[in-house]
Amino acid sequence: MEVIRARVLGFCMGVRRAVELAEAELTLKAVRAMGPLIHNPRVLASLEGRGLGILDEAALPPDLGGLTVILRAHGVSPVLEKELRRRHAALVDATCPRVKKNQLKARSLEEAGFSLFIAGERRHGEVAGLRGYAPQALVVSCPEEASLAAAGLARERPAARTALIGQTTIDAEEYRRIAEAIRRYFPGLAVVDSICPATAERRDALRELCPRVDALVIAGGRSSSNTRCLLDIARSLGKPAWLVESAAEIDTAALTGPGTAGFKTVGLSAGASTPESDIAEIEAALAALPPPVEAHTCRA
Ligand code: SF4
């Protein structure tokens, strides 16, 4: 089967940096990550096999005794960072520079007196960390929530100066609609350009690829929201698409069985937490698939 890769796919700069920092530390000593380092079970299992442990914020040991602790690419709140230092952790900060920039921007806006809205997934680690830099901020996950939150603020403080900042991986159109919902109450809303281009690049490359292929395989962890979003995009563009974490998960029957005679080419994309080794493994397995079985038609 012919396999065509998306123009941009796989590890983004921030995730690559976090994994490389962890690998470098692991050669030296026992290391813990503050929460799962990456939303990819295979990479995580490999790092854990080499000695990486995961710390749970809700059950931090009282004294970390100088243990190396990696702050993941999503970042953490300043309160948690301070707490880790107080418990004698030796911190290695793998917070993505783009996330750090947003954290500092959120802090400066709140300190300057802005009422801040944070657009993103409420339970996502990046949003939790960002909120730690602007504790008064209102988190909104969709335009409807933004509208309700803005209406509430307008009742309490109609003259508030407002600003909006987003999770780095939020969809650009969703971010625009959230801004629009808040502007109905606060026309002067300042909108921070906080979306990371890495996410948009992978989505745009997938949209370009879709018309050139019959079906899509998205490589990556099911717990990765940007990987699941790639799957949604492929399906919304009318292509049969599957998310796989490894070559073993490829649905061979669905790709080559009777009734799938149209699948001569398959597109391959991958989320920002998928390493090249997984992509190459899945690509090779797809390329080795036999041509699709032609559906039998009786001419008698
Ligand atoms: S998606 Fe962007 S902001 Fe998030 S870790 Fe990757 S490079 Fe950093």
Side-chain angles (χ1 to χ4, degrees):
M1 180 169 282
E2 186 187 1
V3 186
I4 306 178
R5 279 188 181 216
R7 187 174 46 78
V8 185
L9 76 175
F11 267 4
C12 64
M13 170 272 291
V15 171
R16 185 187 308 282
R17 180 172 168 273
V19 171
E20 286 174 358
L21 277 170
E23 284 174 337
E25 292 295 328
L26 278 168
T27 60
L28 305 173
K29 51 194 168 301
V31 176
R32 300 287 178 271
M34 191 55 252
L37 188 71
I38 177 171
H39 288 151
N40 184 297
R42 296 183 86 195
V43 178
L44 206 51
S46 156
L47 291 169
E48 285 176 355
R50 291 160 60 193
L52 181 76
I54 308 290
L55 286 179
D56 178 358
E57 185 177 350
L60 283 181
D63 191 338
L64 288 156
L67 193 68
T68 298
V69 175
I70 300 182
L71 305 182
R72 56 190 177 160
H74 292 151
V76 299
S77 73
V79 170
L80 177 55
E81 190 172 333
K82 196 171 163 193
E83 193 53 32
L84 287 165
R85 287 189 202 283
R86 194 182 72 74
R87 297 183 191 213
H88 310 114
L91 296 185
V92 174
D93 191 355
T95 306
C96 175
R98 293 186 195 283
V99 173
K100 180 57 80 182
K101 186 174 162 205
N102 285 350
Q103 290 175 337
L104 298 178
K105 184 70 183 176
R107 173 187 275 165
S108 71
L109 283 166
E110 194 159 284
E111 283 177 357
F114 281 85
S115 294
L116 190 62
F117 293 86
I118 295 175
E121 293 175 48
R122 187 166 279 105
R123 281 183 299 203
H124 195 286
E126 183 188 327
V127 171
L130 190 57
R131 187 145 191 261
Y133 282 78
Q136 307 304 319
L138 299 165
V139 178
V140 292
S141 62
C142 61
E144 293 71 28
E145 273 188 31
S147 191
L148 280 174
L153 182 64
R155 276 194 300 276
E156 283 173 28
R157 297 175 48 218
R161 283 192 303 153
T162 55
L164 172 67
I165 194 165
Q167 189 177 336
T168 51
T169 50
I170 193 170
D171 179 70
E173 176 59 17
E174 183 76 347
Y175 193 48
R176 190 195 63 72
R177 289 175 58 223
I178 286 173
E180 199 177 87
I182 299 170
R183 279 210 177 100
R184 284 196 205 106
Y185 298 90
F186 296 100
L189 177 77
V191 179
V192 179
D193 179 9
S194 55
I195 299 180
C196 172
T199 308
E201 282 165 8
R202 279 153 190 72
R203 292 173 189 176
D204 290 348
L206 174 64
R207 288 188 184 102
E208 281 170 30
L209 177 63
C210 269
R212 299 171 54 208
V213 297
D214 302 317
L216 265 302
V217 169
I218 313 293
R222 270 179 276 280
S223 59
S224 157
S225 60
N226 78 82
T227 304
R228 288 198 311 271
C229 184
L230 293 174
L231 181 71
D232 291 345
I233 289 171
R235 288 181 174 164
S236 73
L237 292 172
K239 294 289 173 183
W242 296 267
L243 190 160
V244 300
E245 292 188 348
S246 68
E249 290 186 2
I250 293 171
D251 190 341
T252 307
L255 280 162
T256 62
T260 58
F263 295 174
K264 291 192 173 62
T265 55
V266 62
L268 178 60
S269 179
S273 49
T274 311
E276 173 57 30
S277 54
D278 283 8
I279 298 169
E281 177 200 285
I282 291 163
E283 183 178 36
L286 288 169
L289 287 179
V293 176
E294 300 287 342
H296 176 73
T297 49
C298 178
R299 295 208 172 91

